[in-house]
Amino acid sequence: MEQEEMIVIDNVSMRFNLGIEKNNSLKQIFVEFLKGKKKDKNQFWALKNIDINIKKGEVVGFIGSNGAGKSTLLKIIAGVMKPTKGKVKSYGNICPLIELGAGFDMELTARENIYLNGAVMGYTKKFIDSKFQNIVDFSELQEFLDVPLKNFSSGMIARLAFSISTIVEPEILIVDEILSVGDISFQEKCEKRMTAMMSGGTTVLYVSHSLESIKKICNKVIWLDHGVIKEIGGKKVCDNFEKYMLGGEKNE
Amino acid sequence: MKTINELKSIYTKYNFLIQQLITRDFKVKYKRSFLGVLWSLLYPLMMMTVLAIVFSNVFRFSTPGVNYLVYLMTGLTLYNYFSEATNLAMSSVVANFSLINKVYIPKYVFPLSKCLFVGINFLFTLVPLYLVILFTGTGINFWHVLLPIVFICLFLFTIGIGFILSTIAVFMRDMFYIYGILISILTYMTPIMYDINMISKEFQMILKLNPLYHYISFARTIILYGECPSISQFLICIATSILTFIIGIIVFKKNQDKFIYYI
């Protein structure tokens, strides 16, 4: 069966300027202007010529050591960053769970934050109204609805955030290391919801350092290493990665 | 034209987000104050009373033929909108970096929502202004129907400047300090508390380069003198505001993709 393509990543490269932080003040610009030096020594290619095609319904796991470019790639797919070179095309609405609760305001109550965060994700008021009870039920925070978020525990905030993020069934779901929050029972609930979404045909991009969970839910694994694709394949990639990482440690 | 259409489509799509950001600003601003939104009315009224007392009694400023309090308040109401909105718009993008870094949101939304938020506050400050207009016997005339034109011009000008400032602030945080100095220079360079005819002719030329002067004098022509503003006044106000608005959008749009590297 010919599957529909959901995301096409075409020769994407991403360059960061590591020294950019220092360039923020007038003094620096002035000093550099006087010295007449241009700083492009500190360039760092986070991603180099990445080509990936992801089809509808695929659950893709991204693995790799810290700084391999996993999160950068997901941010590019989500549209948060623009790649230095290359193009990303996605067909379908994307729901990024890159970091939960990005749009929360700690001064406002949970109820107010549901609307604010929903708006940040691009939903209409009508839509949030209709899903409001679902969100509250899933998060199990009924009694705390009118408490300002600053009085919430981090686990409670994560619950609320997860509940809001997954109220729609997006065509593409981007998950970056989030299931580590909340207590065990809630984690299980999250996993169940995600599995339900996946079986419903949602394309999922999943980043995790837990190879266990990648093996459990992904049917395609991409191993990134220093900005290049080292291997694409099935669950076997996880084993190769594990061997590589452990082997590397022994050699050191 | 293309950018205006784009802005319109973004506005309709992210309409609810802008509403939410504005309500958030209101809620956070008045949280835990007893008088709440009432401060939007009381604060400008009291501030202006203080200024009016100082300038008319201590410095003995006066404006022949018209009421000084109304003269001062008309200028201040418009000027305060500009100063507060540009200040908030300038920091809006930087303040929301955590959001920009995680979710895709058109970045226009932040300066725009700040200018709208202060705009709603501005409408509140019209209440004390009109109270003063009535109590001092200046009275309301037919030409007041033209005032919304200058309000819209002021809004477009402010958001244009807000776009430019928020862009600069991302790349250069010094802008927060520099703008603080600039705005206090501008306060004295704009004939708010004094009459422009009090100063020398050459200097007047410089002051007239400031679009804010023209918006304020447009409003004063109507409120204080009960006259219809001249065609040149109309043209200056409309042209400067639309021009600034367009420049602001272009500057912002050209740079917005680079914002993320300067977090």
Side-chain angles (χ1 to χ4, degrees):
Chain A
M1 193 184 82
E2 188 68 18
Q3 273 176 309
E4 222 182 303
E5 277 185 342
M6 284 306 274
I7 305 170
V8 179
I9 301 170
D10 182 18
N11 199 21
V12 163
S13 294
M14 188 72 192
R15 185 186 62 209
F16 285 109
N17 207 338
L18 293 179
I20 224 158
E21 182 79 28
K22 293 171 197 147
N23 217 344
N24 269 7
S25 79
L26 193 62
K27 193 185 114 202
Q28 276 293 328
I29 292 173
F30 189 63
V31 166
E32 252 146 56
F33 176 73
L34 285 183
K35 282 185 181 165
K37 110 181 157 184
K38 277 194 177 166
K39 42 161 60 188
D40 38 16
K41 287 176 199 160
N42 287 328
Q43 279 178 6
F44 168 73
W45 289 88
L47 293 173
K48 283 171 249 170
N49 309 319
I50 302 283
D51 273 302
I52 304 173
N53 285 340
I54 294 167
K55 297 199 170 70
K56 191 171 195 268
E58 276 185 320
V59 180
V60 186
F62 289 86
I63 53 175
S65 47
N66 291 348
K70 301 178 300 268
S71 295
T72 309
L73 186 59
L74 292 193
K75 277 185 182 174
I76 290 175
I77 295 172
V80 174
M81 288 180 176
K82 285 233 167 114
T84 319
K85 277 190 230 160
K87 261 186 201 163
V88 173
K89 265 189 207 158
S90 57
Y91 309 89
N93 64 322
I94 297 184
C95 173
L97 294 188
I98 287 178
E99 216 160 312
L100 288 174
F104 282 160
D105 190 304
M106 291 297 151
E107 292 291 325
L108 299 181
T109 65
R111 186 193 300 277
E112 289 160 346
N113 267 305
I114 290 177
Y115 282 94
L116 179 62
N117 206 335
V120 165
M121 321 253 291
Y123 305 145
T124 60
K125 184 176 191 308
K126 228 195 219 161
F127 181 78
I128 303 172
D129 278 337
S130 68
K131 296 280 183 180
F132 189 83
Q133 204 48 49
N134 275 353
I135 297 173
V136 176
D137 289 345
F138 190 81
S139 67
E140 300 166 18
L141 293 167
Q142 184 73 53
E143 341 154 34
F144 305 106
L145 262 186
D146 293 304
V147 177
L149 228 60
K150 58 184 171 187
N151 298 336
F152 273 36
S153 74
S154 56
M156 286 159 82
I157 292 176
R159 274 170 184 245
L160 188 64
F162 187 87
S163 316
I164 299 170
S165 303
T166 52
I167 42 166
V168 276
E169 279 174 20
E171 281 150 313
I172 302 168
L173 181 70
I174 300 181
V175 188
D176 189 355
E177 287 284 9
I178 43 116
L179 294 182
S180 49
V181 289
D183 52 31
I184 297 176
S185 70
F186 192 70
Q187 272 186 35
E188 226 162 82
K189 213 169 154 186
C190 292
E191 252 171 64
K192 239 183 230 160
R193 180 170 266 208
M194 279 180 51
T195 334
M197 272 184 175
M198 289 165 199
S199 54
T202 301
T203 308
V204 181
L205 310 180
Y206 184 55
V207 166
S208 177
H209 284 290
S210 150
L211 293 177
E212 282 297 307
S213 66
I214 294 231
K215 275 187 202 166
K216 199 155 74 185
I217 59 177
C218 299
N219 51 27
K220 183 176 183 178
V221 181
I222 296 174
W223 174 7
L224 284 175
D225 186 51
H226 291 100
V228 288
I229 297 173
K230 189 123 179 170
E231 207 177 337
I232 300 185
K235 285 166 190 170
K236 244 175 55 191
V237 180
C238 286
D239 300 328
N240 293 344
F241 175 66
E242 208 168 1
K243 251 182 250 164
Y244 174 83
M245 288 301 280
L246 294 176
E249 262 169 40
K250 267 174 209 163
N251 288 343
E252 268 167 29
Chain B
M1 242 5 246
K2 206 180 126 219
T3 42
I4 292 174
N5 276 337
E6 249 171 70
L7 193 70
K8 211 173 133 193
S9 76
I10 283 167
Y11 182 77
T12 39
K13 186 174 174 201
Y14 283 90
N15 199 355
F16 181 54
L17 174 60
I18 291 173
Q19 273 176 37
Q20 280 295 308
L21 289 174
I22 294 171
T23 23
R24 170 183 75 171
D25 283 341
F26 265 100
K27 279 175 184 158
V28 172
K29 187 171 179 185
Y30 296 115
K31 212 146 224 192
R32 301 195 181 193
S33 64
F34 289 110
L35 295 178
V37 184
L38 208 57
W39 276 117
S40 283
L41 304 178
L42 282 175
Y43 188 76
L45 190 61
M46 287 176 172
M47 286 303 283
M48 288 177 201
T49 314
V50 171
L51 283 173
I53 291 169
V54 171
F55 282 100
S56 58
N57 295 321
V58 182
F59 293 119
R60 308 227 165 260
F61 280 11
S62 67
T63 41
V66 291
N67 185 289
Y68 181 69
L69 185 61
V70 180
Y71 184 90
L72 179 73
M73 274 191 80
T74 311
L76 268 180
T77 309
L78 297 189
Y79 184 79
N80 280 350
Y81 169 71
F82 173 80
S83 129
E84 201 185 331
T86 49
N87 245 319
L88 285 177
M90 176 169 61
S91 51
S92 64
V93 175
V94 176
N96 284 295
F97 258 157
S98 61
L99 252 184
I100 293 173
N101 197 15
K102 281 158 202 155
V103 199
Y104 173 75
I105 302 176
K107 295 158 194 77
Y108 284 110
V109 160
F110 300 111
L112 184 64
S113 78
K114 289 293 179 193
C115 288
L116 288 168
F117 163 63
V118 184
I120 294 167
N121 260 328
F122 168 78
L123 295 180
F124 281 124
T125 58
L126 289 179
V127 176
L129 176 66
Y130 271 90
L131 285 178
V132 170
I133 290 172
L134 290 175
F135 277 111
T136 53
T138 306
I140 294 173
N141 58 68
F142 169 74
W143 299 113
H144 276 244
V145 296
L146 292 176
L147 280 176
I149 294 176
V150 76
F151 295 162
I152 291 168
C153 287
L154 177 70
F155 175 73
L156 290 179
F157 177 73
T158 305
I159 188 148
I161 298 284
F163 276 146
I164 296 171
L165 286 172
S166 61
T167 308
I168 300 175
V170 170
F171 298 111
M172 207 173 72
R173 307 287 151 89
D174 306 60
M175 201 57 206
F176 293 115
Y177 304 102
I178 297 172
Y179 192 62
I181 299 162
L182 286 180
I183 199 92
S184 74
I185 295 173
L186 197 64
T187 311
Y188 295 102
M189 293 277 283
T190 313
I192 300 167
M193 301 162 225
Y194 55 87
D195 187 45
I196 195 164
N197 294 319
M198 285 164 68
I199 50 182
S200 67
K201 275 270 182 288
E202 304 84 59
F203 208 59
Q204 278 188 29
M205 294 295 289
I206 301 172
L207 294 196
K208 282 181 179 168
L209 293 175
N210 174 5
L212 288 173
Y213 161 73
H214 296 283
Y215 306 148
I216 292 172
S217 74
F218 186 104
R220 278 177 181 155
T221 310
I222 293 170
I223 293 172
L224 291 164
Y225 303 99
E227 289 166 15
C228 178
S230 66
I231 296 193
S232 70
Q233 272 179 306
F234 270 103
L235 287 180
I236 290 173
C237 289
I238 293 170
T240 51
S241 63
I242 290 179
L243 195 68
T244 316
F245 180 63
I246 290 173
I247 292 174
I249 291 180
I250 292 172
V251 169
F252 195 86
K253 210 172 141 59
K254 281 221 158 137
N255 290 297
Q256 59 177 351
D257 290 336
K258 285 185 247 157
F259 286 178
I260 192 128
Y261 309 120
Y262 289 85
I263 292 169

